[in-house]
Amino acid sequence: MKAGFVCLAGAPNVGKSSIVNAYLGKKISIVSEKPQTTRNRINAILNLPDAQVVFVDTPGIHKPVHKLGNYLVKIAIKALEGNDLLLFVVSAERFGEFDRIVAERIKASNTPFIGVINKMDRASKQNVEKAEELFKSMDRCLSIKHVSAIRNEGLDELLKNILDNLPESPAFYPPDMITDKPLRFMVAEIIREKIFALTHQELPYSTAVSVDYVEESPTLIKIWCTILVERNSQKPILLGKGGKMIKKIGTLARKDIENLLDAHVFLSLHVKVKEKWTENDRNLNELFKDEL
Ligand SMILES: Nc1nc2c(ncn2[C@@H]2O[C@H](COP(=O)(O)OP(=O)(O)OP(=O)(O)O)[C@@H](O)[C@H]2O)c(=O)[nH]1
Ligand SMILES: [Mg+2]
């Protein structure tokens, strides 16, 4: 039996979470068109007949300009420790400064890595060449793989390569477990994904979601959540005209949560203003206490 921790590192928006979801065959980690979607270290556990691959999804590494961004980069860098293997993920569509910042972090981790060039369906030859050049210039680059998470291309070959480089080991988690995150986290993330999909500019970056209370009966699961925003002016935008926006977020999230739980769900969303929570160390330390 082979088993090990495989951490995906990369700039924001390169498709790390999409790759993890493609392997698991379901949405463990939320995805959006916007950068800085993932905020936590999320273990997604792929159980195979003779192997257990623990994919460690991380926030994108970038040059933070806000305090929340600082925390995200800290979480991502901490997650680079203690893995058997790294996947250095870049996008064939865009390559640049942030990828070079990631490279420095990967070098410092002293862990072997596979260079993964994602979004090959939208590749520019120049970007692919630049990425290959960077990977080849680094020590401990085991191989370079070209994939498209969206089209599910190249992922089988990449997985074979991952398994080749994992140690013999017993499994780390029970074979029916797919993530280390509790249900409440998954529910809050689904809601956050809808906010990322439906709202614009700074609003998604100003929100956090918490699950306050869950009540289960044989026929219905009732879930009460709070969405934090950081300014009074953001509340009416999130609610929308006549409550239209929050209703849409709630409806889409409830459908996904029902799929996840395989049960009927009642979902209540409450919007609360917490002044400048993204700039407040106490709030951020509390939010990320399990990750830092
Ligand atoms: N065209 C194309 N788009 C992709 C591919 N993989 C992911 N995407 C898209 O790229 C965007 C970002 O994907 P994510 O998986 O959220 O990226 P991430 O690296 O996890 O981003 P952060 O969590 O913000 O660091 C989404 O809109 C995805 O649908 C791919 O292979 N091809
Ligand atoms: Mg992500």
Side-chain angles (χ1 to χ4, degrees):
M1 167 113 196
K2 286 191 159 193
F5 286 76
V6 180
C7 175
L8 292 93
N13 209 243
V14 295
K16 299 177 294 300
S17 302
S18 300
I19 292 173
V20 168
N21 291 339
Y23 278 129
L24 272 285
K26 56 179 76 178
K27 195 186 290 161
I28 301 291
S29 199
I30 64 167
V31 164
S32 89
E33 287 177 2
K34 300 179 177 72
Q36 293 166 48
T37 303
T38 304
R39 289 183 183 164
N40 305 79
R41 183 189 64 240
I42 300 169
N43 290 0
I45 304 150
L46 179 63
N47 290 295
L48 300 168
D50 308 311
Q52 182 175 74
V53 186
V54 184
F55 288 108
V56 182
D57 193 13
T58 62
I61 294 175
H62 60 285
K63 238 187 198 165
V65 282
H66 299 297
K67 219 166 213 177
L68 173 60
N70 260 323
Y71 276 74
L72 301 188
V73 173
K74 243 192 250 174
I75 289 165
I77 290 169
K78 176 118 194 279
L80 292 178
E81 295 167 12
N83 300 288
D84 298 284
L85 180 64
L86 304 178
L87 303 185
F88 180 176
V89 185
V90 302
S91 162
E93 189 182 27
R94 202 168 292 144
F95 181 87
E97 189 198 357
F98 289 166
D99 301 299
R100 298 189 190 281
I101 297 175
V102 179
E104 292 312 310
R105 293 299 176 174
I106 287 188
K107 283 181 199 166
S109 78
N110 278 327
T111 310
F113 74 92
I114 299 173
V116 178
I117 307 178
N118 186 35
K119 305 199 190 185
M120 283 305 291
D121 54 294
R122 290 212 190 145
S124 98
K125 193 167 168 247
Q126 211 186 14
N127 286 331
V128 174
E129 281 171 4
K130 276 193 213 157
E132 288 171 347
E133 211 174 288
L134 173 67
F135 292 152
K136 283 178 188 160
S137 75
M138 295 168 67
D139 290 338
R140 287 182 288 278
C141 178
L142 299 168
S143 61
I144 298 174
K145 298 289 171 198
H146 304 76
V147 305
S148 166
I150 277 219
R151 294 198 182 158
N152 212 323
E153 283 168 7
L155 294 178
D156 286 347
E157 202 187 312
L158 173 59
L159 181 60
K160 236 175 88 201
N161 200 209
I162 291 170
L163 293 170
D164 284 344
N165 287 291
L166 282 191
E168 289 289 330
S169 159
F172 293 93
Y173 293 99
D176 56 349
M177 199 167 158
I178 53 171
T179 177
D180 66 332
K181 290 290 181 197
L183 202 63
R184 280 170 180 250
F185 175 86
M186 306 291 278
V187 166
E189 287 290 273
I190 288 171
I191 296 163
R192 217 163 56 73
E193 181 181 65
K194 305 311 169 199
I195 298 170
F196 263 69
L198 294 173
T199 69
H200 306 288
Q201 286 151 5
E202 85 290 352
L203 188 53
Y205 300 103
S206 300
T207 55
V209 178
S210 65
V211 175
D212 304 320
Y213 188 63
V214 179
E215 192 184 283
E216 282 188 59
S217 78
T219 51
L220 185 69
I221 301 177
K222 294 183 178 177
I223 306 172
W224 284 265
C225 301
T226 300
I227 303 175
L228 290 186
V229 292
E230 59 178 346
R231 281 195 296 280
N232 279 321
S233 60
Q234 290 172 331
K235 195 171 168 174
I237 305 173
L238 190 59
L239 293 173
K241 258 196 195 131
K244 242 181 165 170
M245 175 61 89
I246 195 76
K247 209 169 157 196
K248 199 165 172 189
I249 291 168
T251 305
L252 292 175
R254 180 175 51 75
K255 283 186 188 148
D256 278 14
I257 297 166
E258 287 186 331
N259 267 335
L260 179 77
L261 303 182
D262 202 15
H264 286 297
V265 167
F266 162 87
L267 181 64
S268 159
L269 301 178
H270 171 72
V271 181
K272 191 172 136 187
V273 181
K274 196 167 196 172
E275 282 291 329
K276 294 189 181 169
W277 71 265
T278 62
E279 294 294 330
N280 181 315
D281 278 315
R282 234 182 56 205
N283 294 151
L284 290 165
N285 278 321
E286 173 59 26
L287 186 64
F288 297 121
K289 61 179 185 295
D290 298 334
E291 322 275 338
L292 293 166

